[in-house]
Amino acid sequence: MNRFIRVLLFAGLAFWSLNSQAQSARLRAANKQFDNYSYVSAVRAYEEFLRADKKKEPAETREAMTKLGYSYRKLQDMRNAERVYGDLVKEYTDLDSEVYLYYAQALAANGKYRDSQKMYSQYGEKQAQDLRGRRFTVSYMDMGRFYQDSSSYRLYDLPINSRQADFSPMYYKNGLVFVSARDESGAVKRVFNWNQTPFLDLYFHPDTNQLRVPGSVVTRTTGAAVLGGGGDGKAPTTEVIEEPQKLTKAEIFSKTLNTKYHEGPMTFTKDQNFIVFTRNNTSKGKSGKSSDGVKKLKLYSSVNKGGKWVDIKELPFNSSEYSVGHPAFSPDNTKLYFASDMPGGFGGTDIYVVEFNPSSGEWGTPVNMGKEINTEGNEMFPFADEGGNLYFSSDGHEGLGGLDVFYAELRDGVAYKGVQNAGAPINSEKDDFGFITDRTRTSGYFSSNRKKGVSDDDIYAFRRTCKQLNILVFDAKTGSPLENADVRILRNGVNQDLRITNIEGRTDLCIDTNTEYEFKAIKEGFAMNSARYSTMTQSPRAVMEIKIYLERSENTIVKGVVKTEVNQQPAPGVKVTLRNDKDKSEQTVITGPDGGYEFNTKPNAPYTITAQKERYATKKTQYTTKAKRNAKVITDSLGLYGVGDVFQLKNIYYDLNKFFIRPDAARELDHVLAILKEYPQMQIELRSHTDARATDTYNIRLSENRARAAMDYLVARGIAASRLMARGYGEAEILNGCVDGVNCTESEHQQNRRTEFKVLAVQ
């Protein structure tokens, strides 16, 4: 794994050293390199001391071996780390507990899972509060869980890889931006003291289609012991990796963003005109250090204007005392996930999330993702797919060794079903990280040092072959296939997409492993029916099928879409409950990416539908079904108001220099009045704006009067003043460029004289 990851955190043993006067000269020299994080030089010095210094004291030998093992670990040389830690465990019985943990991790990184299991067990005995000892001990009893879906994947070693580290790809336009230690400039390249490799920069390859051209096929045996002995606890498997063909060199992504220090993992907003990237702490071009003398990592943003990245800014939650890095935007750009070792976390580095307002550029306060995601180890390299689900790498969750890629389905920001190991061959005994993919994980890219194992990270592409499941819908009475039937797919109890059957009554999908599926078939004139399918066990068949039969019925089917009122987009993760107010029975679904829901109802019964989501006002609607000869489908939509949503009241305009409510404005405010009465716990801010004419001071006062007039209108009609806030913004937020000095028509100026309302709180 690349050294840039480990720059993120200088955590480790609290090393004890002999008094400097009592140390031999060779040990003092080695310790100096160690204290300066010059691990390549430290390794040479410690090995020389242990080999050549015949008069060394036993305490000196122990200190040198402990720091030597740690240095190899920091250099990701797990073969030598295993050797040194093995010698330590044989020679001493009173070692710090971390030595057993690091030895266990080194053994796992070398594929020796049974030996690793024993060391994890000993670590668990010494550190009962750290759950890693118990978790890995149990996990390594059955290695099969990591290989359940391995035959579905094919890996490609990309032609953009160099002899130096290449890692952390990210989608950009039609290509990939990635991090590399290569030197494509021809100039003198500075090297990183830690491991004597070049500093990292951002590079770009413009066409992913070129990266899909396969070369020769090679195989690699996985899971076999590396240095002999110990066994791996499973039969070796064959991993197929297609070697790359030659390709022209990658481009430097941006001379503005790249500096003489480290630039690392990055993320882009959906329009790809805003970047957040990782960089060493710098101030005015100079390297900055924390109070302990370490250059921490920070996050920076930049905007693309005219094809150039400009306006580079630090994110407001950076610190010189801890690192923040590895950013990843959510699909809607309203959240940024990142890794940090800031105080108050669960382990080394944790995954955090922070709210972001793309319109204003304002950042919220970072929040730890919690113990479902974070462990006593290190979590880093987050990525959110198109569905908003989170991928990240961890050495604290149970895995095959080093960093493994994990996956978590999020609901209201919580990994409500825990995390899943992505399994082999995405994961290996080495470090696997920087994972990006599409919504269904059928293709993507990731980084790994599996090929050479030391000082080498490469980027791989993967493709996952489809395990197809056909869903067939029939008329139960005639046995005829039903065309144009809706089939709702539920994955682990959560609505996913809605499919429609063809003329053969069939639709199909590619299924995932370790998943519980339910399929609901819906068609007007028929009662809704469903069938379940589990992939918790594997089927050797490439194509499978499931049949659903529908009975003709007089029942009514209720279906609809939950949308956010602010942009009329489907709202995923909403709990929709249908309550039969007659017999008190309830049905509940969680909406998926399309915001859809479907329910079967009984005739002649009153029903209430409730839509609930955190930070959104609860929506309720009622209706009564009637007995009909043939079943019908009722289609409806539910709109949700969320905290932070801003709505422009399009028809509230003001005469020049006036702030009284015009008749057309009153009609629009009556709409706001109706919303506040429907949601009695909702609190809003009334935000008024002026055009750019007159002075700033005058416009602020005028807009405040206009906002207050709108507030008074609502209070006079029964809305408590405590639920309302009035604020004037003057000419600070002009919509159409009609600022001072620009000639505009009266109608254009009137567009800026407006009032909005912002949702502050809901229940």
Side-chain angles (χ1 to χ4, degrees):
M1 179 188 61
N2 61 84
R3 273 51 54 199
F4 190 64
I5 298 171
R6 295 304 183 189
V7 178
L8 188 61
L9 178 67
F10 287 88
L13 293 170
F15 290 99
W16 172 84
S17 297
L18 294 168
N19 182 285
S20 59
Q21 274 77 29
Q23 292 176 345
S24 69
R26 283 195 177 94
L27 183 58
R28 283 199 303 273
N31 283 342
K32 182 177 181 180
Q33 299 297 329
F34 183 88
D35 292 339
N36 288 332
Y37 309 112
S38 300
Y39 293 117
V40 170
S41 300
V43 160
R44 296 193 190 104
Y46 286 128
E47 291 283 18
E48 177 67 18
F49 166 75
L50 291 170
R51 180 176 60 255
D53 203 323
K54 305 300 183 182
K55 299 180 180 180
K56 54 183 175 289
E57 297 292 330
E60 289 184 327
T61 300
R62 175 171 170 162
E63 178 186 348
M65 291 177 66
T66 302
K67 292 181 177 178
L68 176 61
Y70 190 77
S71 298
Y72 277 127
R73 169 184 166 83
K74 284 296 184 182
L75 293 172
Q76 294 301 296
D77 185 349
M78 288 304 186
R79 293 174 178 83
N80 279 309
E82 177 195 334
R83 170 179 60 82
V84 175
Y85 283 129
D87 290 342
L88 269 171
V89 169
K90 288 178 183 177
E91 291 291 330
Y92 305 99
T93 59
D94 58 340
L95 296 166
D96 290 327
S97 60
E98 285 86 352
V99 170
Y100 293 91
L101 173 65
Y102 296 158
Y103 188 23
Q105 291 174 336
L107 288 163
N110 293 328
K112 300 181 180 180
Y113 296 112
R114 287 178 181 163
D115 289 344
S116 176
Q117 181 187 31
K118 295 175 184 177
M119 289 302 107
Y120 271 119
S121 179
Q122 291 190 43
Y123 175 69
E125 293 173 1
K126 295 176 178 294
Q127 283 286 355
Q129 292 182 337
D130 189 336
L131 299 180
R132 285 177 292 179
R134 184 164 68 250
R135 285 174 178 168
F136 278 84
T137 300
V138 173
S139 180
Y140 285 171
M141 291 179 180
D142 177 18
M143 299 298 297
R145 57 180 288 222
F146 300 112
Y147 297 87
Q148 288 183 344
D149 202 27
S150 58
S151 62
S152 299
Y153 288 88
R154 193 173 191 88
L155 304 186
Y156 301 88
D157 187 355
L158 297 187
I160 57 174
N161 289 316
S162 67
R163 287 177 292 181
Q164 298 289 352
D166 304 286
F167 62 97
S168 283
M170 184 57 64
Y171 299 115
Y172 182 70
K173 296 185 176 179
N174 295 318
L176 291 177
V177 178
F178 60 97
V179 184
S180 179
R182 71 185 66 196
D183 180 9
E184 301 256 321
S185 65
V188 176
K189 186 80 172 180
R190 301 172 70 251
V191 296
F192 185 32
N193 198 35
W194 182 302
N195 62 346
Q196 298 300 302
T197 61
F199 276 74
L200 301 165
D201 282 325
L202 303 182
Y203 286 82
F204 175 55
H205 189 277
D207 188 1
T208 55
N209 288 323
Q210 292 184 19
L211 304 180
R212 295 174 184 166
V213 180
S216 59
V217 178
V218 298
T219 59
R220 183 177 78 91
T221 300
T222 62
V226 176
L227 294 179
D232 63 358
K234 68 174 185 66
T237 61
T238 299
E239 176 182 313
V240 179
I241 302 177
E242 295 205 3
E243 293 286 6
Q245 293 182 343
K246 300 254 183 214
L247 192 69
T248 56
K249 67 182 182 181
E251 308 166 4
I252 293 175
F253 178 61
S254 169
K255 293 182 179 179
T256 305
L257 300 183
N258 287 339
T259 66
K260 62 182 180 179
Y261 298 107
H262 282 305
E263 278 76 38
M266 81 312 296
T267 186
F268 300 91
T269 51
K270 186 171 288 187
D271 65 8
Q272 300 187 325
N273 287 324
F274 187 81
I275 185 176
V276 174
F277 64 99
T278 315
R279 177 187 282 172
N280 273 131
N281 178 16
T282 59
S283 178
K284 297 180 180 179
K286 297 181 179 180
S287 176
K289 293 185 178 182
S290 62
S291 57
D292 59 3
V294 175
K295 292 185 286 289
K296 304 295 185 180
L297 300 183
K298 289 186 174 183
L299 289 175
Y300 296 80
S301 67
S302 180
V303 180
N304 192 305
K305 294 182 179 179
K308 294 183 178 180
W309 292 100
V310 298
D311 195 21
I312 299 174
K313 296 180 180 178
E314 274 197 43
L315 269 56
F317 47 85
N318 283 336
S319 172
S320 295
E321 298 305 316
Y322 54 79
S323 288
V324 292
H326 308 172
F329 273 117
S330 62
D332 62 1
N333 301 331
T334 62
K335 296 180 178 65
L336 182 79
Y337 302 97
F338 64 93
S340 177
D341 61 345
M342 67 176 66
F346 290 88
T349 55
D350 284 0
I351 305 294
Y352 289 79
V353 63
V354 61
E355 298 285 339
F356 176 63
N357 187 325
S359 300
S360 65
E362 295 178 353
W363 296 93
T365 302
V367 176
N368 191 290
M369 288 291 289
K371 63 181 179 181
E372 294 83 6
I373 297 290
N374 296 311
T375 68
E376 299 89 341
N378 298 289
E379 283 69 46
M380 52 188 76
F381 294 103
F383 171 76
D385 67 15
E386 297 167 19
N389 299 305
L390 185 68
Y391 290 87
F392 63 97
S393 289
S394 170
D395 62 9
H397 291 285
E398 303 95 307
L400 288 168
L403 287 174
D404 272 18
V405 175
F406 292 85
Y407 166 77
E409 293 184 50
L410 301 183
R411 183 185 296 174
D412 295 327
V414 176
Y416 68 104
K417 288 187 176 293
V419 302
Q420 286 186 358
N421 189 294
I426 298 299
N427 290 322
S428 67
E429 68 273 18
K430 303 301 182 185
D431 290 312
D432 309 293
F433 56 99
F435 183 91
I436 60 175
T437 186
D438 54 16
R439 183 193 294 269
T440 57
R441 206 194 304 167
T442 56
S443 65
Y445 303 87
F446 69 98
S447 323
S448 179
N449 64 349
R450 66 185 63 186
K451 190 174 181 180
K452 298 173 183 175
V454 179
S455 300
D456 181 80
D457 300 315
D458 282 336
I459 300 172
Y460 295 86
F462 73 87
R463 302 288 181 271
R464 185 161 66 102
T465 57
C466 177
K467 288 193 174 181
Q468 184 172 314
L469 178 67
N470 294 330
I471 302 105
L472 304 168
V473 182
F474 298 98
D475 184 320
K477 185 175 182 179
T478 66
S480 302
L482 293 176
E483 184 182 4
N484 293 326
D486 292 339
V487 177
R488 167 65 67 188
I489 300 170
L490 284 81
R491 188 178 185 275
N492 293 327
V494 177
N495 278 12
Q496 302 298 315
D497 54 342
L498 190 70
R499 305 290 178 90
I500 299 176
T501 58
N502 60 17
I503 194 171
E504 299 172 343
R506 177 176 62 84
T507 186
D508 57 64
L509 77 156
C510 297
I511 55 176
D512 295 326
T513 58
N514 299 315
T515 303
E516 298 287 353
Y517 287 97
E518 182 179 2
F519 306 101
K520 294 181 179 179
I522 307 123
K523 188 171 176 63
E524 188 167 350
F526 294 83
M528 186 167 63
N529 195 14
S530 64
R532 296 178 182 272
Y533 190 88
S534 175
T535 58
M536 293 299 180
T537 57
Q538 294 292 299
S539 171
R541 290 181 293 170
V543 179
M544 295 147 285
E545 67 178 28
I546 190 169
K547 297 178 180 180
I548 304 175
Y549 293 89
L550 301 185
E551 300 277 356
R552 293 196 175 273
S553 171
E554 297 180 358
N555 291 355
T556 297
I557 295 173
V558 176
K559 59 183 293 188
V561 176
V562 184
K563 298 181 179 181
T564 52
E565 289 283 5
V566 70
N567 56 15
Q568 292 300 301
Q569 293 299 306
V574 180
K575 180 182 178 182
V576 183
T577 302
L578 178 76
R579 177 181 172 84
N580 185 321
D581 296 325
K582 186 176 181 180
D583 64 15
K584 311 305 180 187
S585 61
E586 291 186 351
Q587 303 173 56
T588 299
V589 298
I590 305 296
T591 60
D594 66 357
Y597 61 88
E598 298 83 23
F599 295 109
N600 224 359
T601 66
K602 298 176 181 178
N604 298 317
Y607 283 90
T608 300
I609 290 185
T610 304
Q612 298 171 290
K613 186 175 182 179
E614 187 177 356
R615 294 178 61 82
Y616 285 85
T618 298
K619 175 70 175 180
K620 290 188 177 182
T621 187
Q622 295 178 319
Y623 63 92
T624 300
T625 58
K626 297 180 179 180
K628 289 185 175 288
R629 189 167 187 177
N630 292 315
K632 63 175 291 189
V633 174
I634 295 178
T635 302
D636 195 9
S637 291
L638 302 175
L640 298 184
Y641 291 91
V643 173
D645 290 348
V646 177
F647 299 85
Q648 181 176 336
L649 304 179
K650 297 179 181 178
N651 296 318
I652 295 190
Y653 297 120
Y654 301 89
D655 294 325
L656 180 62
N657 296 325
K658 305 294 184 182
F659 57 84
F660 62 83
I661 302 299
R662 292 176 5 182
D664 53 357
R667 287 191 294 272
E668 190 71 10
L669 282 173
D670 286 341
H671 175 63
V672 180
L673 180 66
I675 294 172
L676 292 171
K677 287 184 175 180
E678 181 179 358
Y679 302 101
Q681 303 301 320
M682 181 183 286
Q683 299 176 28
I684 67 170
E685 175 193 34
L686 291 156
R687 304 153 52 93
S688 191
H689 307 264
T690 69
D691 59 35
R693 293 178 288 185
T695 65
D696 291 348
T697 302
Y698 176 83
N699 283 334
I700 285 289
R701 186 169 65 252
L702 179 62
S703 62
E704 287 174 348
N705 288 337
R706 287 174 173 175
R708 185 70 197 186
M711 177 176 171
D712 291 343
Y713 181 91
L714 296 172
V715 171
R717 284 153 181 79
I719 303 301
S722 60
R723 297 174 58 193
L724 307 173
M725 177 184 297
R727 183 178 176 186
Y729 287 82
E731 58 183 273
E733 297 183 6
I734 295 296
L735 293 176
N736 54 10
C738 290
V739 296
D740 292 335
V742 177
N743 291 323
C744 293
T745 65
E746 180 59 31
S747 62
E748 288 174 328
H749 281 303
Q750 183 165 281
Q751 291 175 22
N752 294 314
R753 300 194 300 269
R754 69 198 188 278
T755 292
E756 305 162 331
F757 80 88
K758 179 179 181 180
V759 180
L760 300 179
V762 296
Q763 185 172 345

